[in-house]
Amino acid sequence: MEPVALQDYICSLDPASLPRIVKICSGVYFQSSIYEISGNECCFSTGDLIKIIRINLKKVICENTKTGHITEIPPDFPGYFSSTIDPQLHGSLDELLSAATRGSGALPICFSSMHDLKIKGRVVPRDQPLMLIAEEMYQGIRHACCMMHSGTHKLTIYLPLSLHGTFYSWGPVFPQTLLQALQDPVLLDQPLICPNLHWHSYVLQPQYEIEAIMNLRRSIVKIPSTLEVDVKDITASSEHHQHFITPLLLSEVLAQGGPFPMQAEILEVPDGPPIFYRPLKKGQELTIHGPASPSWRILASSKSRKAPRHFFISGAYQGKLKCRPREFHTAFDLLTALQPGFPLHVVATQDWEGEEGDSASPSLFRGDRLEVLGRDRGPDGEVLVCNRLSELSEVEEDEEEEQREEKEQLLLPLYFSCDFVEEKNDGRRYRLDSLLTHVPLPCEVKVLSKDPSLSEDPLSSFPGLQLEEKITEPFLVISLATDPRMCFEIPPRWLDLTVVEANKPPKAQEGPLSVSTVEELTDAFYYKLRTLQTCSGQAPPPRPPKTKQKCSSLAKPNQPPKPEKRASVQQPERPSKNTSALSLPLPSGNCSALYSTKLRPCQVQKPLKKTPGTEQSKFESDSDHDYENPNEELEQTTKKREASLPHSDHDYESPDEQPKRTFKKMEKRREDPLQRP
């Protein structure tokens, strides 16, 4: 077969002959590296092989042969097409029959009515083709024996030749539907007339969507038939069938359910940060042994001083575990850890003094034992109901019952912050599957003995391990070709590798497989998994109430108030102990006069005239400006105050004598009013 255009090849292709294999003889490449437009493949190289499995009619372009006008019709267009239609209209069946027999001279003929026909309770739709087979006499009246196609059935009806209406003839050939006309190679290249398209002559140009399979393409490729490429049919060459290899995802392998074991090769690794520290690269050969059992895993994190490490622990883990008491820091943590069917008893590890007069903030003391009961509604919001337990001594059963009735009930706000530790006296050793039936998650454990199936168990090296959540997800058991006996488990949901099945048969197993029951996770995947697994409807922890501040205090909290500043009085700098300033002599009498003396504000004096010696000394210094020494100013001020005070060898008036003398003068004025001061 010679190469032909893709559009011509698809138009002449019989859908019943699919699938067909074609070869691209002239490639096409759109600019800007556009490989796909509206979901259709638009880039091929010369020599590519395509296996066509299905063709779908998308639309039909009708081009008017006279005007060139283009009309687009859908694939379910209801009209009929014919190349021999007679555009002449007739007023009755008798007139139509006479014109048809006069022209061709023989029956049958095909005709239609431009209006609906109602004959004895039956309705013939307009433009419905009818085949007039013969003329018969029925009850003394001439009738036309007609045949009508109704789906897959053929109906015979009799119409009187005297029936009036508007009729037109299709000619001796029965008209074709749109799909029939497109599949007829004779009618496809001829101008066709359809009464539903205003009796114009059109050329049909169908456009198809091709569904095909290409080599190493996982999905079905969709190709428009109008793509300008030349193809060649090579279906007869059977050796080309081996080039069509379909890639598979691990999720598809798991859904197919086998056959296992399966030899495969990694074609593509999903983008993004890795899930495991185990390297998986493109081109690695692996063996898929089937789904893992059991299908649940435990998400765990190490408890140590260093950065925590995260693991997937399989349900088949055989190590021995021992429970450790959990630690809680708020009442909300206690509520989160409380689960039905598992009582929770804790011990306070620090003192907490509640606010005076606030019943919603009780006081706790270190060593108080609490029994957590559940959530309730308090006066100021939701609270955690607990019982404060007293220390029980070895008493009889009836006395113990009396002590149980004397429990003190506490209502702890959910924002209540205090450290607690779980009261646990369980010293038994558990396997992982039996532990989950006795202890709720999350819980803290210690690995006492490692899994004997593992050469190195990383969990036994940690002082503690927090089991956070149980995850039920299907895993696949996989081994690499470099170490076929050591297997590990992969979750297809989070690590969906693209693989291709190898043609070679799987190798025979030499011994039992060793499956790793512990797989370390990367930090990036761990936090992503926690985001996915966390219930979005869970309420966040409550926010504690705001503390009330006094309105009279204008200073900010934890800051002392600023001292008041006086603009009129400037306090001189207080001399230190080692300063050379002179001390003020105290008077021998009452010292209140000294303290009652008002101090004038210190004023900066004008600089003195520069002397040659002074100027030289200042030039010798590194300063570029002439500043006064504050110690000299203080010394001058002190000398002035000392000079203004009375000396100790003179008599000076005490401050108490002046009010007495003033009082005596007032008494004399009362006795002698005419005396003037």
Side-chain angles (χ1 to χ4, degrees):
M1 176 183 175
E2 295 297 329
V4 296
L6 180 61
Q7 174 70 17
D8 298 339
Y9 175 78
I10 296 299
C11 291
S12 61
L13 183 62
D14 185 7
S17 64
L18 297 178
R20 308 291 295 183
I21 300 176
V22 297
K23 180 180 180 181
I24 302 295
C25 297
S26 61
V28 61
Y29 186 80
F30 281 7
Q31 295 180 356
S32 302
S33 299
I34 301 176
Y35 289 85
E36 193 169 326
I37 297 179
S38 301
N40 297 329
E41 193 74 19
C42 296
C43 178
F44 294 101
S45 302
T46 302
D48 287 349
L49 298 181
I50 301 174
K51 185 177 182 180
I52 302 175
I53 59 175
R54 193 179 299 108
I55 56 175
N56 301 317
L57 180 63
K58 303 299 293 181
K59 60 182 178 180
V60 179
I61 304 298
C62 301
E63 182 180 358
N64 194 319
T65 56
K66 295 183 179 180
T67 62
H69 181 72
I70 293 178
T71 303
E72 183 178 318
I73 59 176
D76 56 349
F77 183 71
Y80 289 85
F81 295 86
S82 176
S83 60
T84 60
I85 188 172
D86 184 7
Q88 184 178 1
L89 302 179
H90 305 278
S92 63
L93 281 181
D94 192 6
E95 181 181 348
L96 174 66
L97 180 60
S98 300
T101 54
R102 184 171 55 253
S104 59
L107 296 177
I109 59 173
C110 187
F111 70 96
S112 295
S113 173
M114 300 186 66
H115 306 282
D116 295 341
L117 300 179
K118 297 181 180 179
I119 304 297
K120 295 182 179 180
R122 184 184 298 274
V123 178
V124 179
R126 56 177 296 183
D127 298 324
Q128 174 67 37
L130 299 174
M131 182 65 70
L132 198 156
I133 302 175
E135 178 184 350
E136 297 182 4
M137 295 293 294
Y138 181 72
Q139 296 180 356
I141 302 175
R142 296 169 58 202
H143 284 75
C145 180
C146 302
M147 183 177 295
M148 181 180 66
H149 293 273
S150 177
T152 57
H153 302 283
K154 295 182 180 181
L155 302 178
T156 302
I157 58 176
Y158 291 91
L159 301 177
L161 293 179
S162 59
L163 182 63
H164 290 275
T166 305
F167 303 94
Y168 57 92
S169 175
W170 293 96
V173 181
F174 198 86
Q176 305 288 327
T177 61
L178 178 60
L179 297 180
Q180 292 173 347
L182 295 177
Q183 295 175 4
D184 191 345
V186 178
L187 296 179
L188 188 60
D189 297 334
Q190 295 182 3
L192 301 178
I193 299 177
C194 179
N196 297 51
L197 296 177
H198 310 289
W199 295 85
H200 297 303
S201 179
Y202 292 95
V203 176
L204 304 182
Q205 299 176 1
Q207 294 185 7
Y208 296 91
E209 182 184 69
I210 306 170
E211 296 184 8
I213 298 175
M214 296 185 66
N215 189 30
L216 297 180
R217 293 291 295 267
R218 188 175 58 85
S219 58
I220 295 178
V221 179
K222 297 180 179 181
I223 309 169
S225 63
T226 55
L227 198 63
E228 297 180 358
V229 294
D230 294 340
V231 296
K232 181 180 180 180
D233 194 325
I234 57 173
T235 308
S237 303
S238 59
E239 65 271 14
H240 292 283
H241 288 277
Q242 62 183 356
H243 292 281
F244 296 96
I245 301 175
T246 304
L248 296 173
L249 295 174
L250 287 185
S251 57
E252 297 174 349
V253 175
L254 182 63
Q256 290 177 2
F260 298 114
M262 176 190 296
Q263 295 292 119
E265 179 183 348
I266 300 179
L267 291 181
E268 186 178 357
V269 179
D271 297 333
I275 295 179
F276 305 127
Y277 286 104
R278 189 186 305 273
L280 293 175
K281 301 179 182 179
K282 179 180 179 181
Q284 285 182 322
E285 295 182 358
L286 49 83
T287 303
I288 305 176
H289 299 277
S293 179
S295 60
W296 56 272
R297 303 291 181 276
I298 295 296
L299 182 63
S301 299
S302 63
K303 302 285 287 186
S304 61
R305 295 182 178 179
K306 299 180 180 180
R309 297 165 61 183
H310 315 286
F311 301 91
F312 262 153
I313 306 178
S314 172
Y317 183 75
Q318 298 299 319
K320 296 291 186 177
L321 309 175
K322 180 182 178 180
C323 293
R324 292 185 57 191
R326 293 173 289 179
E327 295 180 358
F328 309 97
H329 303 286
T330 61
F332 184 80
D333 296 339
L334 295 176
L335 179 62
T336 306
L338 182 63
Q339 295 189 13
F342 297 95
L344 181 60
H345 295 80
V346 296
V347 178
T349 59
Q350 72 177 40
D351 297 338
W352 178 270
E353 184 177 357
E355 298 181 2
E356 296 183 0
D358 189 0
S359 60
S361 181
S363 298
L364 289 179
F365 302 97
R366 183 176 182 181
D368 284 355
R369 299 170 60 247
L370 301 180
E371 178 187 6
V372 183
L373 301 180
R375 186 200 299 254
D376 199 359
R377 191 73 182 178
D380 297 333
E382 293 186 345
V383 295
L384 182 67
V385 183
C386 301
N387 283 338
R388 194 202 306 260
L389 305 177
S390 60
E391 296 183 0
L392 297 178
S393 59
E394 296 181 0
V395 294
E396 298 181 359
E397 295 183 358
D398 54 351
E399 296 180 0
E400 186 176 353
E401 292 294 337
E402 294 179 0
Q403 288 188 0
R404 288 180 181 176
E405 295 178 357
E406 296 178 356
K407 297 177 182 179
E408 179 186 358
Q409 190 178 68
L410 302 179
L411 302 180
L412 304 180
L414 294 184
Y415 57 83
F416 184 80
S417 177
C418 186
D419 290 341
F420 304 92
V421 64
E422 185 178 11
E423 187 178 13
K424 185 177 289 294
N425 298 320
D426 189 2
R428 292 177 294 178
R429 297 185 176 187
Y430 297 95
R431 292 189 183 273
L432 184 59
D433 52 354
S434 62
L435 175 69
L436 300 182
T437 60
H438 294 83
V439 180
L441 295 181
C443 66
E444 293 186 14
V445 297
K446 165 67 178 174
V447 179
L448 300 179
S449 60
K450 67 177 185 178
D451 190 344
S453 64
L454 299 177
S455 58
E456 295 182 1
D457 190 352
L459 304 182
S460 60
S461 62
F462 300 113
L465 198 67
Q466 183 177 3
L467 307 183
E468 300 179 4
E469 192 173 0
K470 181 179 180 180
I471 298 177
T472 303
E473 192 70 28
F475 282 66
L476 282 175
V477 180
I478 291 176
S479 63
L480 298 177
T482 55
D483 191 2
R485 295 188 58 185
M486 188 60 196
C487 301
F488 56 96
E489 299 171 347
I490 288 183
R493 176 183 176 186
W494 300 305
L495 186 58
D496 208 359
L497 300 175
T498 303
V499 300
V500 59
E501 186 176 0
N503 295 328
K504 54 185 179 181
K507 298 179 181 180
Q509 298 180 5
E510 300 178 357
L513 298 176
S514 177
V515 182
S516 176
T517 55
V518 178
E519 198 70 34
E520 186 172 1
L521 308 177
T522 60
D523 292 344
F525 174 70
Y526 168 77
Y527 292 113
K528 177 182 178 182
L529 183 63
R530 294 296 297 167
T531 304
L532 296 176
Q533 295 296 120
T534 302
C535 180
S536 59
Q538 184 178 3
R543 180 178 297 178
K546 296 181 179 180
T547 57
K548 298 180 180 180
Q549 299 180 1
K550 296 182 179 181
C551 299
S552 60
S553 177
L554 299 179
K556 296 183 179 179
N558 301 329
Q559 291 185 2
K562 297 182 179 179
E564 296 182 359
K565 295 183 179 180
R566 297 182 179 179
S568 60
V569 178
Q570 299 180 2
Q571 298 290 345
E573 187 175 341
R574 201 169 190 178
S576 61
K577 293 182 180 180
N578 299 328
T579 183
S580 60
L582 298 177
S583 59
L584 299 176
L586 294 177
S588 58
N590 195 353
C591 301
S592 60
L594 175 63
Y595 298 126
S596 62
T597 304
K598 296 183 180 180
L599 297 179
R600 292 177 295 175
C602 298
Q603 298 179 356
V604 179
Q605 296 181 358
K606 297 182 180 180
L608 301 177
K609 296 183 179 180
K610 298 180 181 179
T611 60
T614 308
E615 185 177 1
Q616 182 179 2
S617 62
K618 290 186 177 181
F619 275 116
E620 292 177 356
S621 64
D622 296 335
S623 176
D624 296 337
H625 302 279
D626 187 9
Y627 296 102
E628 284 188 349
N629 189 357
N631 294 332
E632 295 178 359
E633 180 183 0
L634 179 62
E635 185 177 354
Q636 294 176 4
T637 305
T638 306
K639 289 181 179 181
K640 292 180 179 181
R641 294 282 183 257
E642 185 180 0
S644 62
L645 292 175
H647 298 282
S648 57
D649 53 348
H650 297 281
D651 295 335
Y652 62 93
E653 187 179 26
S654 174
D656 297 335
E657 296 293 336
Q658 184 177 3
K660 292 181 181 180
R661 188 173 66 250
T662 305
F663 179 75
K664 291 180 179 180
K665 291 181 179 181
M666 293 177 64
E667 289 293 332
K668 290 181 179 180
R669 291 175 183 174
R670 291 179 182 177
E671 294 176 358
D672 189 5
L674 300 177
Q675 186 179 359
R676 295 185 179 181

